């Protein structure tokens, strides 16, 4: 038996940061039916910086500067500093108070360059807090930040939260707002805690496809297997070259369409499929809109739509079929405009007893699930994920997303790269033996990806 590998991350202290103004007494924020459904999952984001953005001279400490901007920011985010409680119907709501956000300080016995070269996804978990919600969460902090100091002066900041409270976009925008407060700039997106009114919307928005998909997810049990994770960075030049090959079949193919088609078809090949078999891929799409025509971009909560696309073996794996699969993906994505409201309708009707929402279930699974972060490209064409600068011009060198309690066939997450253009980062979680084979796949390697944590 191999000896257990010791962690390079050592926690040194724990403290709390509260908002600088007291919360009004009795204020609560209800969680939506979709928030409840995601209760088994957690959200984890790590931002890597080459230098410590909080070290601003000999007369101030890094924690002084951290607390000031974060304390000011938390005035606008009562959902972050509050604690969970049950309302009269037995559903979760946030009791807004001054309990604050937990901050963990840790040291990493590595330089940031060494870490980015050698750390895997399992070790990267040490840079954020992984803690299941306790049975009584009344004194539990659902949002936590971990400040990780590398011995070269670099910094990794890990943000963790319950998925009931926020999705990947909300977590990213919370962090982005913190960096804007630190630089003394106005917020790009002010947080909104209530969805726009749905009065007058037809009940016919509920779709049979959505109902069947969520019903299947809520009843299927999976057998946990050991999962492996890999992150691949695809350069702009490789994406452009591959898109030119598929445009004869799908003229409007996007980098997302292409990469979904690529990974879905290559993963399917690993399972040695036979003709006539249906392959299903679940899509998780954020429906916030920069134009505020649907869900406002500043909405702080869960604005996700899950849908499913099925292709048979011949359609998915035929020779030179990447363009055809891209076309199917493109058509599917184009039809998701109103799916978010359909999802809310479905979950609003899932009641356990009376007006109490049904228990949560694994939304990421059991089928292979693909998450799109394409909406994080701002109107100027830049990735908002990497537009998180505590100091002007000093972008993070890497950003990593993870979700807790993922089971089933696996997960594919596609996000924009730091550089402007068509470059993308793909994070794949699959059964361990499939990950090993996928990283040797010649079709994927032809796009010259770079492996990162």
């Amino acid at each position: 038996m191999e000896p257990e590998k010791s962690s390079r991350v050592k926690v040194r202290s724990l403290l709390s940061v509260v908002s600088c103004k007291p919360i009004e007494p009795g204020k609560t924020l209800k969680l939506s039916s979709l928030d409840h459904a995601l209760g088994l999952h957690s959200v984890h984001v790590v931002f890597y910086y080459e230098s410590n953005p909080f070290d601003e001279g000999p007369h101030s400490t890094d924690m002084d500067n951290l607390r000031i901007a974060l304390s000011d920011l938390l005035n606008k985010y009562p959902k972050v500093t509050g604690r969970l409680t049950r309302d009269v119907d037995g559903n979760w709501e946030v009791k807004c108070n001054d309990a604050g956000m937990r901050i963990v300080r840790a040291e990493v016995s590595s330089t940031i360059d060494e870490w980015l070269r050698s750390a895997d996804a399992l070790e990267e978990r040490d840079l954020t807090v992984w803690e299941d919600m306790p049975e009584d969460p009344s004194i539990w902090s659902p949002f936590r930040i971990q400040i990780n100091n590398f011995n070269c002066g670099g910094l990794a900041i890990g943000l963790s939260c319950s998925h009931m409270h926020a999705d990947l976009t909300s977590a990213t925008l919370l962090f982005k707002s913190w960096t804007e407060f630190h630089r003394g700039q106005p917020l790009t997106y002010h947080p909104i805690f209530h969805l726009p009114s749905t009065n007058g919307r037809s009940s016919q928005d509920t779709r049979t496809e959505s109902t069947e998909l969520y019903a299947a997810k809520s009843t299927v049990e999976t057998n946990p297997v050991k999962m492996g994770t890999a992150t691949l960075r695809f350069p702009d030049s490789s994406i452009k070259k591959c898109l030119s090959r598929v445009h004869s079949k799908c003229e409007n193919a996007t980098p997302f369409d292409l990469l979904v088609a690529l990974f879905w078809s290559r993963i399917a090949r690993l399972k040695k499929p036979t003709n006539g078999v249906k392959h299903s891929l679940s899509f998780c799409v954020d429906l916030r809109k920069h134009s505020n025509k649907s869900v406002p971009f500043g909405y702080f909560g869960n604005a996700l739509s899950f849908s499913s696309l099925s292709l048979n073996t011949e359609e998915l794996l035929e020779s030179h079929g990447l363009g055809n699969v891209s076309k199917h993906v493109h058509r599917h994505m184009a039809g998701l405009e109103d799916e978010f409201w359909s999802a809310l309708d479905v979950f609003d009707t899932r009641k356990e007893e009376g007006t109490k929402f049904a228990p949560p279930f694994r939304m990421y699974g059991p089928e292979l699930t693909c998450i799109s972060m394409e909406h994080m490209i701002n109107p100027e064409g830049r990735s908002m994920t990497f537009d998180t600068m505590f100091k002007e011009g000093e972008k993070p060198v890497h950003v990593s997303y993870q979700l807790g309690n993922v089971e089933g066939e696996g997960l594919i997450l596609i996000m924009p790269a730091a550089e402007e253009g068509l470059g993308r980062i793909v994070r794949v979680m699959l059964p361990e033996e499939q990950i090993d084979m996928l990283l040797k796949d010649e079709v994927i390697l032809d796009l010259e990806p770079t492996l990162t944590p």
Side-chain angles (χ1 to χ4, degrees):
M1 179 182 295
E2 294 184 9
E4 186 175 341
K5 188 177 180 181
S6 60
S7 175
R8 289 184 281 179
V9 182
K10 303 296 182 186
V11 173
R12 298 305 185 194
S13 63
L14 173 67
L15 55 96
S16 294
V17 174
V18 300
S19 56
C20 62
K21 295 179 182 178
I23 302 292
E24 59 185 270
K27 182 180 178 64
T28 60
L29 291 170
K30 292 188 178 297
L31 299 184
S32 73
S33 56
L34 177 58
D35 296 337
H36 280 74
L38 286 155
L40 294 181
H41 299 290
S42 55
V43 169
H44 307 266
V45 193
V46 182
F47 297 81
Y48 292 88
Y49 294 89
E50 287 186 332
S51 62
N52 186 339
F54 305 114
D55 187 4
E56 299 183 353
H59 301 296
S60 64
T61 67
D62 57 349
M63 294 309 293
D64 286 339
N65 289 299
L66 180 154
R67 286 190 186 194
I68 293 170
L70 187 55
S71 181
D72 288 341
L73 174 69
L74 292 179
N75 290 332
K76 297 184 176 294
Y77 284 89
K79 193 174 182 181
V80 171
T81 60
R83 297 295 183 262
L84 280 171
T85 185
R86 295 279 191 181
D87 65 14
V88 294
D89 296 320
N91 295 318
W92 290 115
E93 64 180 7
V94 177
K95 181 180 180 181
C96 303
N97 53 31
D98 299 312
M101 174 189 276
R102 297 286 186 265
I103 307 291
V104 177
R105 297 190 68 186
E107 295 178 359
V108 187
S109 57
S110 165
T111 67
I112 192 169
D113 289 338
E114 290 169 349
W115 179 274
L116 291 174
R117 285 196 304 267
S118 61
D120 57 20
L122 183 61
E123 188 174 24
E124 190 182 49
R125 288 170 59 102
D126 293 339
L127 300 180
T128 61
V129 178
W130 291 75
E131 184 177 276
D132 292 332
M133 184 176 77
E135 190 171 332
D136 178 11
S138 58
I139 59 172
W140 177 70
S141 175
F143 285 82
R144 300 189 182 221
I145 287 176
Q146 183 166 321
I147 308 294
N148 304 279
N149 290 281
F150 290 89
N151 58 24
C152 62
L155 201 71
I157 305 177
L159 172 63
S160 307
C161 67
S162 155
H163 210 324
M164 275 204 303
H165 287 72
D167 52 23
L168 294 174
T169 301
S170 294
T172 304
L173 293 183
L174 170 65
F175 195 89
K176 176 177 168 60
S177 296
W178 181 19
T179 67
E180 290 170 342
F181 254 80
H182 186 78
R183 300 200 311 270
Q185 295 185 346
L187 298 187
T188 303
Y189 296 104
H190 288 267
I192 300 169
F193 301 104
H194 300 286
L195 287 167
S197 172
T198 59
N199 292 339
R201 188 167 50 85
S202 171
S203 60
Q204 294 178 351
D205 285 344
T206 302
R207 301 184 182 183
T208 304
E209 294 85 351
S210 297
T211 306
E212 292 178 351
L213 175 63
Y214 295 124
K217 286 179 178 290
S218 65
T219 56
V220 174
E221 293 186 6
T222 58
N223 295 319
V225 298
K226 191 172 184 181
M227 306 291 278
T229 302
T231 304
L232 302 95
R233 187 189 303 268
F234 292 89
D236 172 83
S237 57
S238 294
I239 298 296
K240 286 180 178 176
K241 180 174 68 175
C242 199
L243 279 174
S244 68
R245 298 173 186 166
V246 305
H247 276 165
S248 61
K249 296 287 186 180
C250 183
E251 183 180 359
N252 298 319
T254 66
F256 178 80
D257 301 332
L258 170 69
L259 289 168
V260 172
L262 174 65
F263 278 86
W264 188 14
S265 60
R266 304 317 294 179
I267 291 170
R269 286 180 184 275
L270 301 179
K271 302 174 184 178
K272 299 180 174 57
T274 57
N275 289 343
V277 173
K278 282 283 188 180
H279 302 263
S280 294
L281 181 66
S282 178
F283 290 85
C284 174
V285 179
D286 191 301
L287 293 184
R288 292 173 176 86
K289 301 294 182 182
H290 294 284
S291 60
N292 287 347
K293 289 181 180 178
S294 182
V295 181
F297 211 87
Y299 175 64
F300 193 84
N302 287 288
L304 304 177
S305 170
F306 288 80
S307 60
S308 182
L309 174 63
S310 295
L311 298 177
N312 61 38
T313 299
E314 293 82 357
E315 291 175 303
L316 190 59
L317 303 182
E318 67 180 51
S319 299
H320 310 294
L322 203 56
N324 285 328
V325 181
S326 298
K327 180 172 63 177
H328 284 291
V329 173
H330 187 83
R331 287 176 177 172
H332 180 80
M333 298 298 291
L336 297 180
E337 183 68 26
D338 297 320
E339 280 294 312
F340 173 68
W341 302 111
S342 300
L344 283 185
D345 285 338
V346 171
F347 289 116
D348 283 345
T349 59
R350 291 184 72 251
K351 300 291 175 60
E352 188 177 43
E353 54 184 54
T355 54
K356 185 178 180 180
F357 294 127
F361 53 90
R362 281 185 172 80
M363 296 282 281
Y364 301 102
E367 68 284 336
L368 185 65
T369 304
C370 181
I371 302 173
S372 170
M373 298 295 287
E374 293 291 293
H375 61 286
M376 293 303 288
I377 301 175
N378 67 17
E380 289 75 42
R382 300 191 309 272
S383 168
M384 287 190 291
T385 303
F386 287 89
D387 191 20
T388 46
M389 301 173 289
F390 287 97
K391 292 183 179 179
E392 202 64 44
E394 294 187 12
K395 295 183 177 182
V397 294
H398 182 56
V399 178
S400 175
Y401 289 111
Q402 290 197 54
L403 293 168
N405 290 324
V406 174
E407 291 184 2
E409 295 184 22
L411 195 67
I412 304 168
L413 187 148
I414 301 175
M415 61 180 280
E419 305 79 12
E420 290 187 33
L422 303 184
R424 294 293 186 270
I425 297 171
V426 181
R427 189 177 184 95
V428 189
M429 177 186 288
L430 295 170
E432 217 168 45
E433 67 278 3
Q434 292 183 20
I435 279 286
D436 293 337
M437 291 188 287
L438 191 73
L439 293 179
K440 300 173 185 175
D441 188 284
E442 293 183 359
V443 177
I444 292 177
L445 293 177
D446 184 55
L447 270 68
E448 302 177 337
T450 301
L451 279 173
T452 60

